[in-house]
Amino acid sequence: MSTKPLGIAILGAGIFAREAHLPAIATLAKSSLLKLEAVYSRSKSSSCKFAELATSALNLSSTLAVYSDDSEVGSGLDDLLARSDIHAVIVVLPITQQPDVIIKAFKAGKHVLSEKPVAKDVQHALELIKIYESEYKFKGVVWRIAENYECEPGILAAAEAIRSGKIGKVAYFKLSIVNYLPTENKYYRTSWRTVPEYQGGFLLDGGVHYAALLRTVLPDPLISVSGHASLTKEWLAPHDTIHSVLQTTSGIHGIFELTFASPNKELTSASVEITGSSGFIRISNKHKIPKGGGPEEKPHYIIRVLGEDGKEEVSEYQNQGVEREIEYFAKAALGLKDDPALEGKGDPRGAVRDVAVIQASLTSQGHLVDIKKLVQEP
């Protein structure tokens, strides 16, 4: 068990690394849990931009070390991974590029937190998991998937309410996410998302979040999917909409509706409802604007629980999933005990199930897909 901060590097310097991971790292660095030592990106300009932001956010006395593919000799990814003061890496790269980098980090003996999805499809995910479990896990290398939805306090609170019986025995559920994604959207304008080299486009990249949400709150695993996929807006190819029917081991069934093809922003919505024998829970997310104006606060989860007696409980939880997932990973890498509620979070085998739900929805064409068989579970 280590008492020193975990030396980390962030591999990837794009939008989410800058806007989500960096603020979370800055918060955790104040507690001396971890220390950001370096940044890597494919381009030096991107690395330098991140380093400038990080130097300010972390109040560093000198500029954060920069590595890239187009830097001078001695400043590439292999050089970063050779540093003894870097114990772990956070991988925030395009989906198809992550597996090779993850394996490189394993070989260098680094702990790895890699962004969701675990891989571009189930087959590649299982291959990566096999390599980790057979060659590196027993050596003490920690690997977690950065799936912030399964670490969100609001989602965990909803899961606990269900486990404690507040809505009775779960009977069915409905997840409905309607997104508006114009071509000027900052995420769409990243080249690897504009022309995706992976199934489903935004449906995979964003959809695994919602599969993870269901995996977190439902009392037992999803085992079957039957769905249809379509394309409404040509710039979101290959698909932008899925509608599926899902079922769990115990027979709980529900609807999974996800689209990025809303015709305008006003029609967007996001809600999850889980109905039980004596009540229901509704999970929603919203941005709060302070009274009197000013900048938006961080998004909040709103959890509404309606019991059999008609009494409603409403709770709000600020979004903290990225911070919590990094904290949990750092504590695991350092050998520290963590919040029992986060036990098992970030498990690659849980993350491959999330990919399986989206993959099955994209490919089933109305036929029933066995999730356990797809992910090769006994």
Side-chain angles (χ1 to χ4, degrees):
M1 182 182 297
S2 175
T3 56
K4 294 182 179 180
L6 183 72
I8 66 168
I10 189 158
L11 311 185
I15 297 169
F16 201 69
R18 297 192 304 268
E19 297 184 1
H21 283 275
L22 180 56
I25 290 169
T27 298
L28 295 169
K30 295 175 183 177
S31 66
S32 299
L33 179 64
L34 50 77
K35 181 182 179 183
L36 183 62
E37 300 283 2
V39 59
Y40 158 82
S41 180
R42 291 167 294 166
S43 70
K44 187 174 181 179
S45 61
S46 181
S47 282
C48 288
K49 181 178 180 180
F50 183 94
E52 182 179 351
L53 293 171
T55 301
S56 174
L58 298 168
N59 195 27
L60 301 178
S61 57
S62 59
T63 304
L64 187 71
V66 167
Y67 295 80
S68 69
D69 292 344
D70 58 356
S71 288
E72 59 275 9
V73 175
S75 298
L77 177 58
D78 290 341
D79 302 292
L80 181 154
L81 294 175
R83 286 178 52 170
S84 61
D85 60 338
I86 293 175
H87 315 113
V89 296
I90 301 176
V91 184
V92 196
L93 291 167
I95 292 170
T96 57
Q97 295 175 10
Q98 290 204 148
D100 287 344
V101 172
I102 290 168
I103 293 172
K104 267 194 172 188
F106 289 160
K107 289 180 178 178
K110 309 302 183 186
H111 305 298
V112 177
L113 177 66
S114 57
E115 262 297 338
K116 59 76 203 164
V118 57
K120 68 177 185 178
D121 56 36
V122 170
Q123 179 183 343
H124 284 85
L126 292 175
E127 290 172 356
L128 188 56
I129 290 170
K130 182 179 179 180
I131 291 171
Y132 169 67
E133 292 181 342
S134 64
E135 300 181 33
Y136 300 102
K137 187 176 182 179
F138 74 93
K139 295 179 180 178
V141 173
V142 174
W143 179 31
R144 297 286 186 270
I145 305 304
E147 176 44 77
N148 54 302
Y149 275 44
E150 63 177 355
C151 296
E152 285 291 354
I155 293 174
L156 291 173
E160 177 56 31
I162 291 170
R163 281 194 298 270
S164 65
K166 285 192 174 183
I167 63 170
K169 183 179 179 180
V170 177
Y172 56 89
F173 61 89
K174 179 181 179 181
L175 180 148
S176 177
I177 310 296
V178 180
N179 292 306
Y180 172 62
L181 193 71
T183 54
E184 60 267 25
N185 178 275
K186 63 183 178 182
Y187 285 104
Y188 177 80
R189 292 173 69 86
T190 52
S191 59
W192 63 274
R193 291 186 177 97
T194 304
V195 185
E197 297 178 345
Y198 49 87
Q199 61 179 340
F202 278 89
L203 293 173
L204 175 68
D205 192 19
V208 289
H209 280 315
Y210 305 109
L213 186 157
L214 292 177
R215 176 166 54 82
T216 302
V217 301
L218 292 176
D220 50 282
L222 294 166
I223 59 168
S224 66
V225 175
S226 174
H228 292 276
S230 61
L231 178 65
T232 302
K233 297 184 176 181
E234 60 181 18
W235 64 86
L236 295 176
H239 300 96
D240 58 24
T241 302
I242 51 177
H243 289 87
S244 298
V245 177
L246 285 58
Q247 188 174 38
T248 73
T249 304
S250 66
I252 300 167
H253 54 85
I255 296 171
F256 188 99
E257 174 189 45
L258 174 62
T259 183
F260 286 87
S262 175
N264 58 60
K265 190 174 182 179
E266 285 67 34
L267 295 178
T268 60
S269 62
S271 68
V272 183
E273 294 182 0
I274 301 99
T275 302
S277 57
S278 58
F280 78 92
I281 287 180
R282 177 180 292 124
I283 304 169
S284 57
N285 201 353
K286 72 173 184 179
H287 288 76
K288 295 184 68 177
I289 300 176
K291 292 181 179 179
E296 286 186 346
E297 296 179 6
K298 291 178 68 175
H300 283 61
Y301 276 96
I302 314 298
I303 311 299
R304 290 183 169 85
V305 182
L306 184 66
E308 193 171 23
D309 58 1
K311 183 179 178 180
E312 185 179 39
E313 299 177 15
V314 181
S315 304
E316 294 192 15
Y317 300 84
Q318 190 178 74
N319 288 19
Q320 295 179 332
V322 175
E323 181 181 325
R324 294 290 291 276
E325 73 190 3
I326 297 175
E327 177 186 10
Y328 174 58
F329 165 70
K331 288 181 175 179
L334 290 167
L336 303 175
K337 292 183 179 180
D338 197 15
D339 183 347
L342 293 178
E343 183 65 31
K345 299 298 184 290
D347 184 352
R349 288 203 172 271
V352 74
R353 279 186 146 270
D354 302 336
V355 174
V357 169
I358 303 303
Q359 182 169 317
S361 297
L362 290 169
T363 62
S364 77
Q365 296 184 326
H367 299 291
L368 197 66
V369 177
D370 184 325
I371 295 297
K372 287 186 66 175
K373 184 176 180 181
L374 182 58
V375 300
Q376 300 178 21
E377 290 181 359

